[in-house]
Amino acid sequence: MLLSEVVEASAGVRATSSRKNKINILAELLKHAEPQELAQVVAWLSGELIQGRIGTGWRTLTALEVVSTGSPGLTVETVDNFFDQLAGVGGSGSAARRQELLADLFGAATGAEHDFLIRLLTGEMRQGALTAIVAEAVAAAYDVPIAAVRRAHMLSGRLPVTAVAARTGGAAALAAFRLELGRPVQPMLASPGATLEEAVAEFDGQVSVEHKMDGARIQVHRDGDSVWVFTRTLRDITASVPELVELVRKLDCTSVVLDGETLALEDSGRPRPFQETMSRFGATVAQELLLHPYFFDCLHLNGDDLLDVPLRDRRRALGEVAGGLAIPALIAPDPEAAAEYFDGALAAGHEGIMIKSLDAPYAAGRRGRAWQKIKPTHTLDLVVLGAEWGYGRRTGYLSNLHLGARDPDGGPPIMVGKTFKGLTDALLQWQTSEFPRHERDRDAGTMYLHPELVVEIALDGVQTSPRYPGGVALRFARVVRYRPDKEPHQADTIDTIRALLPGAK
Ligand code: AMP
């Protein structure tokens, strides 16, 4: 198969907003993939590489000056070989060697292929929604039930492997996937819930209400004395978290799979900032900060797989085997008790709560209604300090906004984050024609503006940041709308933002 066929299908998917059309386009492509190239095609369509991340940054990729060929000739196999070589480069001189390889690859690519490869290599294409659509396309292409694909995907943790099984052995091959100790399953995900009351009512009160801890997801497997710890992306981090391994080894069982969150704590028991937990997942950081696990699910215990049993029973198993390490939960509370719990969670520095149906099985890899996250949403009015020129679909448009908070002492606004989320095509066009009127300065990638425009931004919270001048950065910021009715001196101040830091109140 030619790379250009994959690129064309990927462009087709981006060009349509209909989920059904997206699935059809991908299914058609998959039907034509040979078994030996199918894994690669499926990985790329989901924005991933079979080789995993291969350590090439956006800067290196875009700095390469290449003249693209006009005609498509690259095959899936050739490109995959390039990725193999890139992944194998190491030691001194590796940056130059990578550049050489990339220049060869890009030189043989058409403009559209070049664009696709950059988005693939930078991880820009990776997103959960895409994976779900590719899974549906696998089901459609090989005429197997979507539930069978999803189940095999969750158990294998890998969509490419699942696709190959579906293509070569159909539903029977998919059904043969089992939870295997030592092999991580795709974690179950949560959907944003509207309000606490609605989420509790949706399940007639038959819910587990839990703190939503702002740490990092872990999945722990134990088989006898062997223990493995995996991240949310199924990376094996066993070697960097010996204290977690030790705790799990002490549990009274022969085999277990637990799902949970881990975070570093202050001496007082308050959670430390998220970045500090994440820093422990690298191999090199000294283990000064001890990680504490908070398990919220049990997928296997002493030889029994529990994925298909209701949460009610999984929680019971969790309590039996790891009661002391389980996240506290309110089981089937009345609405007032649940509301009180929510307030308590926020006061304790957590980012919100999770509401989970007690009757639902573990639907791995899916963002379903059975788990709902409830967080307080904040909106802030911030000053636009500049905008970066977009790339890909946004080439030629001023896109990524630099956002500033007002200095209550009258100084210039203080930058607190960037976002291009929530920008519609109409807004991109408007920004591109309006911003030059406010231009103060510019460099290669950015137009800097006089602080004159106010934009309303929704965010999930804020975190401490050594990078931004105010020491604080927005989390998951997205544009709601422009506020032409507001002047910059009416924008929110840096103090308001600092007050949103966990535990600031
Ligand atoms: P989000 O990343 O916002 O979609 O929220 C889902 C994530 O919240 C999960 O992947 C976990 O890492 C984390 N989390 C924190 N506390 C819980 C909990 N009690 N139950 C499930 N997930 C939790």
Side-chain angles (χ1 to χ4, degrees):
M1 176 173 276
L2 289 173
L3 173 65
S4 60
E5 295 172 71
V6 182
V7 173
E8 206 175 296
S10 167
V13 167
R14 290 208 295 159
T16 170
S17 55
S18 145
R19 190 179 163 85
K20 207 158 146 245
N21 289 348
K22 290 180 198 273
I23 294 167
N24 285 343
I25 293 170
L26 295 178
E28 272 315 303
L29 180 80
L30 294 182
K31 276 184 199 160
H32 296 113
E34 298 295 330
Q36 74 279 6
E37 61 198 10
L38 179 59
Q40 284 76 354
V41 173
V42 167
W44 298 352
L45 290 172
S46 338
E48 287 176 3
L49 298 179
I50 297 282
Q51 293 80 356
R53 298 199 187 172
I54 51 186
T56 340
W58 167 252
R59 217 175 285 271
T60 320
L61 290 166
T62 46
L64 285 171
E65 285 188 19
V66 277
V67 183
S68 298
T69 56
S71 55
L74 281 170
T75 64
V76 167
E77 195 187 347
T78 323
V79 176
D80 184 50
N81 286 340
F82 262 109
F83 291 159
D84 273 344
Q85 289 185 49
L86 267 177
V89 172
S92 70
S94 56
R97 177 72 191 126
R98 273 206 195 108
Q99 295 230 3
E100 260 171 44
L101 280 167
L102 285 167
D104 283 351
L105 175 63
F106 292 165
T110 64
E113 290 170 351
H114 183 187
D115 195 45
F116 176 87
L117 290 169
I118 288 199
R119 285 190 301 118
L120 184 59
L121 286 164
T122 50
E124 193 200 320
M125 280 165 62
R126 209 180 306 131
Q127 40 155 300
L130 200 51
T131 310
I133 286 172
V134 180
E136 297 238 21
V138 168
Y142 310 125
D143 204 17
V144 286
I146 177 65
V149 173
R150 284 194 189 126
R151 192 186 158 76
H153 179 206
M154 107 186 168
L155 291 172
S156 67
R158 298 197 299 270
L159 195 52
V161 175
T162 307
V164 171
R167 152 123 211 201
T168 49
L174 292 176
F177 283 96
R178 290 266 169 281
L179 191 154
E180 225 177 77
L181 295 170
R183 188 171 72 180
V185 304
Q186 289 287 346
M188 181 165 179
L189 302 172
S191 305
T195 63
L196 169 69
E197 295 72 25
E198 279 174 40
V200 172
E202 187 172 334
F203 303 108
D204 276 341
Q206 292 306 299
V207 291
S208 167
V209 182
E210 304 164 11
H211 288 175
K212 183 173 190 309
M213 304 216 145
D214 190 14
R217 187 84 174 251
I218 45 166
Q219 189 180 124
V220 176
H221 290 224
R222 173 169 152 201
D223 185 5
D225 274 343
S226 305
V227 173
W228 297 261
V229 183
F230 303 98
T231 63
R232 176 181 181 140
T233 54
L234 313 189
R235 197 155 58 85
D236 185 337
I237 50 152
T238 312
S240 35
V241 291
E243 71 272 46
L244 296 181
V245 172
E246 220 26 63
L247 284 173
V248 173
R249 205 171 267 144
K250 284 200 200 120
L251 299 178
D252 185 16
C253 63
T254 52
S255 63
V256 71
V257 175
L258 298 171
D259 185 11
E261 191 83 351
T262 186
L263 58 162
L265 299 182
E266 312 254 7
D267 289 343
S268 68
R270 286 186 82 89
R272 312 253 336 156
F274 171 70
Q275 305 96 303
E276 296 188 15
T277 298
M278 283 313 286
S279 72
R280 277 296 318 279
F281 282 17
T284 51
V285 173
Q287 290 157 20
E288 282 155 13
L289 286 170
L290 280 192
L291 291 178
H292 188 86
Y294 293 89
F295 294 116
F296 46 71
D297 220 310
C298 179
L299 314 186
H300 172 105
L301 183 58
N302 295 331
D304 292 330
D305 288 349
L306 303 175
L307 292 157
D308 295 326
V309 309
L311 175 61
R312 195 186 304 279
D313 300 335
R314 303 201 307 277
R315 278 235 57 128
R316 198 171 302 131
L318 175 63
E320 268 169 38
V321 67
L325 302 177
I327 208 170
L330 271 187
I331 303 296
D334 60 48
E336 294 78 49
E340 221 169 272
Y341 199 72
F342 189 20
D343 292 343
L346 299 180
H350 300 300
E351 53 172 339
I353 49 171
M354 298 291 258
I355 306 279
K356 301 178 180 175
S357 161
L358 284 169
D359 297 309
Y362 193 87
R366 295 210 64 201
R367 220 173 254 296
R369 302 292 303 164
W371 286 15
Q372 297 184 24
K373 48 187 175 192
I374 313 282
K375 300 181 194 174
T377 329
H378 311 277
T379 60
L380 294 170
D381 294 321
L382 298 173
V383 183
V384 182
L385 303 178
E388 294 168 17
W389 292 101
Y391 49 83
R393 198 169 63 83
R394 297 169 177 218
T395 302
Y397 290 105
L398 282 165
S399 172
N400 203 14
L401 298 175
H402 294 194
L403 303 165
R406 183 158 61 85
D407 176 355
D409 299 329
I414 300 156
M415 186 155 165
V416 288
K418 297 183 188 182
T419 190
F420 53 81
K421 300 245 166 66
L423 286 172
T424 58
D425 288 348
L427 274 182
L428 285 169
Q429 277 166 19
W430 177 81
Q431 291 185 172
T432 309
S433 62
E434 177 70 18
F435 284 4
R437 285 192 250 281
H438 306 271
E439 179 172 347
R440 172 173 65 78
D441 196 3
R442 65 165 77 194
D443 59 28
T446 308
M447 182 182 289
Y448 300 94
L449 308 186
H450 294 290
E452 293 164 348
L453 297 167
V454 177
V455 64
E456 184 177 337
I457 298 290
L459 59 152
D460 288 354
V462 302
Q463 62 192 17
T464 54
S465 161
R467 262 194 315 138
Y468 284 107
V472 57
L474 309 180
R475 293 193 55 182
F476 302 111
R478 57 233 176 245
V479 174
V480 182
R481 61 192 161 138
Y482 273 88
R483 297 297 306 255
D485 54 324
K486 285 211 166 180
E487 300 283 335
H489 68 265
Q490 295 169 310
D492 283 304
T493 65
I494 190 81
D495 291 345
T496 305
I497 296 180
R498 290 198 184 114
L500 297 174
L501 280 169
K505 272 171 238 147

